[in-house]
Amino acid sequence: MSGTFNETLARSVDAYIAELFAGPDEALERGLRRAEAAGLPPIGVSANLGKLLYLLARLARAERILELGTLGGYSTTWLARALPTGGRLITLEIDALHAEVARRNIAHAGLGDRVEIRLGPARDSLRALIEGREPAFDLVFIDADKEAYPEYLELSLQLVRPGSLILADNVIRDGEVIQDAPSDPSDRAIKAFNETIARHPRLDSLVLPIIREAFDGLSLSLVR
Ligand code: SAH
Ligand code: DHB
Ligand code: MG
């Protein structure tokens, strides 16, 4: 069979998978409603990507997770649910309103005891974690401002151990990264990020194409 693959079919298949494997979920849906009511942009991960983050964290047996970019706490909730008793998740957010909405959503999901939101530019929080000799994270999820992804990768590499997993959202950018020289600065930074993780001596990496509002992707890098 050929010629049937198109955007409408791709979205329908994504919805089919989400219905079978990623829902319904009262805490997550209420969190999305609260985020919308508070005026937050609807740019969090999809239900299917949330489920994938959860499964990857379980597979990695992650007990310490670091997230860059909290928004309303949707991906935070998926990741924190993968933690064992005593596990910890630190999530970095620059916007005080986003952090407050996320704090409420995470508390409502029953995860307030294991999640800490650090308010401020992720760069500063990462440097403080490095200076403070924070124990290694088992999983890092990069999902904040796209132009800083290359820098976030270098800082994250100082906070992991061999066997840790570094994930990054939005690395296909509706296909813009296949251009030789994307005009948008975020697209250019993501393209550079992808080239870095592809060649990095400390990483074994791949990008998974992900269907969402636009065509996007998640990178997976295993630290050697
Ligand atoms: N991970 C979330 C979505 C994050 S959207 C989810 O999937 O549910 C990106 C978030 O990064 C926004 O909340 C934005 O405020 C935050 N952000 C943008 N620039 C930042 C910076 N320099 N430091 C920390 N957070 C930043
Ligand atoms: C944007 C950020 C994201 O993390 C995302 O998944 C989608 C869009 C944005 O800043 O536009
Ligand atoms: Mg994202």
Side-chain angles (χ1 to χ4, degrees):
M1 191 164 66
S2 69
T4 60
F5 184 79
N6 60 47
E7 191 173 341
T8 305
L9 178 61
R11 282 174 200 261
S12 300
V13 168
D14 195 55
Y16 164 81
I17 296 168
E19 195 179 324
L20 260 183
F21 297 102
D25 190 301
E26 200 262 324
L28 286 169
E29 281 153 26
R30 181 194 293 236
L32 288 176
R33 284 198 302 273
R34 280 191 177 145
E36 187 186 7
L40 272 55
I43 58 173
V45 297
S46 64
N48 287 341
L49 184 44
K51 180 73 180 278
L52 178 60
L53 293 173
Y54 166 85
L55 286 170
L56 288 168
R58 292 281 307 274
L59 282 164
R61 303 200 196 295
E63 297 186 8
R64 295 178 43 78
I65 297 176
L66 176 63
E67 178 179 66
L68 284 59
T70 314
L71 193 63
Y74 184 83
S75 56
T76 316
T77 298
W78 277 108
L79 285 165
R81 284 175 173 174
L83 290 168
T85 307
R88 297 279 297 155
L89 185 155
I90 297 176
T91 182
L92 313 181
E93 175 56 55
I94 199 171
D95 187 300
L97 173 63
H98 296 187
E100 179 52 26
V101 171
R103 190 195 58 72
R104 283 184 50 187
N105 285 339
I106 290 158
H108 179 80
L111 298 164
D113 57 335
R114 55 186 98 164
V115 175
E116 181 190 340
I117 304 173
R118 294 207 181 172
L119 187 60
R123 173 185 295 113
D124 297 352
S125 298
L126 289 165
R127 287 187 181 142
L129 288 166
I130 294 164
E131 300 268 307
R133 310 212 171 266
E134 184 76 15
F137 290 95
D138 308 305
L139 189 153
V140 180
F141 176 48
I142 301 174
D143 195 21
D145 47 320
K146 310 309 163 194
E147 284 188 61
Y149 270 36
E151 183 181 3
Y152 292 155
L153 176 68
E154 289 314 315
L155 292 167
S156 295
L157 280 165
Q158 298 173 58
L159 290 163
V160 293
R161 54 159 177 87
S164 294
L165 196 53
I166 299 177
L167 310 173
D169 190 29
N170 311 115
V171 298
I172 293 298
R173 311 282 302 168
D174 213 9
E176 290 300 320
V177 293
I178 71 175
Q179 304 297 330
D180 283 339
S183 56
D184 177 73
S186 293
D187 296 343
R188 270 204 305 282
I190 295 290
K191 186 177 172 75
F193 172 88
N194 290 342
E195 287 167 7
T196 300
I197 60 168
R199 294 175 191 148
H200 202 290
R202 281 185 68 196
L203 299 174
D204 266 325
S205 302
L206 188 68
V207 168
L208 296 180
I210 299 280
I211 302 158
R212 42 201 298 164
E213 290 314 309
F215 185 27
D216 216 324
L218 177 79
S219 70
L220 287 78
S221 301
L222 182 62
V223 179
R224 291 186 185 141

